[in-house]
């Protein structure tokens, strides 16, 4: 039976690469963006597997619940939820705003929690190997200058993963995270394009290069698989070795 997977924030970047990695396993997919236009993502993935696009704003509770309900309706059931949609709105410390704080926490933390709640509520009794994967960051552990809102939101993702793992274990639901390092996506493009930034970053990465989105997909497929049946509450850092430095 094919795995049924819903991935938030998955028309570009890391979410798209996670969807593509699942597609190669034959999983049936629902991808998502807050935008109406999926940039052809569902059609591209549809050449590999069954793939539906559901537009929903994951920064609201109603959006998170609506996305999970619509994804379940499209596929008939959901085995895996990947909470991935995230944003980065930090400026330098003196210019930080309430709007940036609220928008970041609404999407990076609140959306993850309420999508997880909706996923759990709709599971059938005895459903095999249900799991939730949340995209954290190396910033869940390591602080970066002028990144206090994002870093605290990703620190919250680390505790969300640990808490939900403990809370949901008795229901047979595993909860894990993936902590990407520096990955080249639309989110990071501007920073990486700043003169001198990429080579400076690459000097700090033991594997010597910025990551690509498809460096991440395999970790998600593994964490959702029966091979990871005894793994819960973990954040798997996929960072070229940065945190080991
Ligand atoms: P991205 O900007 O390339 O992709 C974000 C996706 O989320 C897009 O599909 C976008 O349409 C969607 N999205 C944005 N706002 C949304 C909303 N309100 N509701 C639903 N969907 C929404 O970003 P990315 O770099 O691929 O980041 C994905 C995740 O990885 C984020 O949680 C980010 O914090 C995390 N991350 C990224 C990096 C990196 O270096 N790129 C590093 C560590 C962690």
């Amino acid at each position: 039976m094919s795995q049924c997977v819903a991935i938030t924030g998955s028309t570009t970047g890391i979410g798209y690469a996670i969807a593509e990695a699942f597609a190669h396993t034959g999983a049936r997919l629902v991808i998502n963006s807050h935008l109406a236009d999926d940039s052809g993502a569902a059609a591209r993935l549809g050449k590999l597997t069954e793939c539906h696009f559901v537009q929903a704003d994951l920064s609201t509770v109603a959006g998170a619940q609506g996305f999970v309900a619509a994804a379940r309706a499209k596929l008939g059931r959901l085995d895996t939820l990947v909470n991935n949609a995230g944003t980065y709105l930090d400026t330098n410390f003196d210019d930080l705003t309430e709007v940036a704080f609220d928008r970041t926490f609404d999407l990076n933390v609140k959306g993850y929690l309420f999508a997880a709640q909706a996923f759990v509520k709709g599971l059938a009794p005895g459903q095999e190997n249900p799991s939730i994967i949340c995209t954290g960051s190396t910033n869940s552990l390591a602080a970066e200058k002028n990144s206090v809102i994002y870093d605290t939101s990703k620190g919250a993702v680390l505790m969300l993963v640990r808490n939900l793992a403990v809370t949901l274990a008795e229901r047979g639901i595993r909860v894990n995270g993936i902590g990407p390092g520096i990955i080249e996506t639309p989110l990071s493009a501007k920073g990486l394009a700043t003169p001198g930034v990429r080579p400076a970053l690459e000097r700090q990465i033991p594997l010597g290069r910025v990551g690509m989105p498809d460096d991440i997909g395999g970790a998600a497929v593994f964490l959702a698989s029966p091979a990871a049946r005894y793994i819960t509450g973990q954040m798997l850092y996929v960072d070229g070795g940065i945190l080991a430095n």
Side-chain angles (χ1 to χ4, degrees), residues 16-39:
Y16 180 82
I18 289 173
E20 200 172 30
F22 274 111
H24 284 296
T25 71
R28 300 164 63 220
L29 303 177
V30 173
I31 62 168
N32 154 262
S33 167
H34 58 309
L35 303 172
D37 180 5
D38 78 346
S39 312

Side-chain angles (χ1 to χ4, degrees), residues 31-230:
I31 62 168
N32 154 262
S33 167
H34 58 309
L35 303 172
D37 180 5
D38 78 346
S39 312
R44 286 195 303 280
L45 292 165
K47 291 185 181 149
L48 302 171
T49 189
E50 178 183 341
C51 180
H52 307 269
F53 170 66
V54 171
Q55 180 190 6
D57 180 354
L58 267 289
S59 68
T60 69
V61 175
Q65 291 170 338
F67 170 68
V68 172
R72 196 169 260 131
K74 297 266 184 210
L75 300 179
R77 66 169 208 285
L78 284 181
D79 305 309
T80 306
L81 169 70
V82 182
N83 276 321
N84 173 75
T87 191
Y88 183 101
L89 298 171
D90 279 72
T91 51
N92 69 65
F93 178 77
D94 294 315
D95 295 330
L96 293 175
T97 63
E98 183 178 3
V99 171
F101 183 93
D102 288 347
R103 281 204 193 146
T104 304
F105 271 73
D106 283 352
L107 184 59
N108 296 14
V109 184
K110 186 173 78 178
Y112 281 26
L113 172 59
F114 287 97
Q117 185 192 54
F119 171 78
V120 169
K121 280 185 179 172
L123 286 173
Q127 199 170 318
E128 253 175 66
N129 193 31
S131 90
I132 300 168
I133 296 170
C134 298
T135 306
S137 170
T138 44
N139 297 45
S140 297
L141 279 186
E144 202 179 312
K145 195 172 162 188
N146 285 324
S147 185
V148 65
I149 296 176
Y150 182 78
D151 290 5
T152 49
S153 78
K154 291 299 182 179
V157 172
L158 177 61
M159 189 47 74
L160 183 80
V161 163
R162 290 182 177 176
N163 190 290
L164 293 185
V166 169
T167 301
L168 299 174
E170 65 188 16
R171 303 190 207 186
I173 302 163
R174 296 181 304 105
V175 185
N176 290 294
I178 294 173
I182 300 153
I183 310 296
E184 188 166 356
T185 70
L187 188 82
S188 59
K190 197 169 149 212
L192 286 173
T194 307
V197 165
R198 181 187 282 264
L201 288 171
E202 289 186 336
R203 281 194 292 276
Q204 297 167 35
I205 302 172
L207 287 182
R209 65 170 174 87
V210 164
M212 298 306 291
D214 63 9
D215 290 320
I216 307 290
V221 168
F222 166 67
L223 288 172
S225 76
R229 62 189 171 272
Y230 199 57

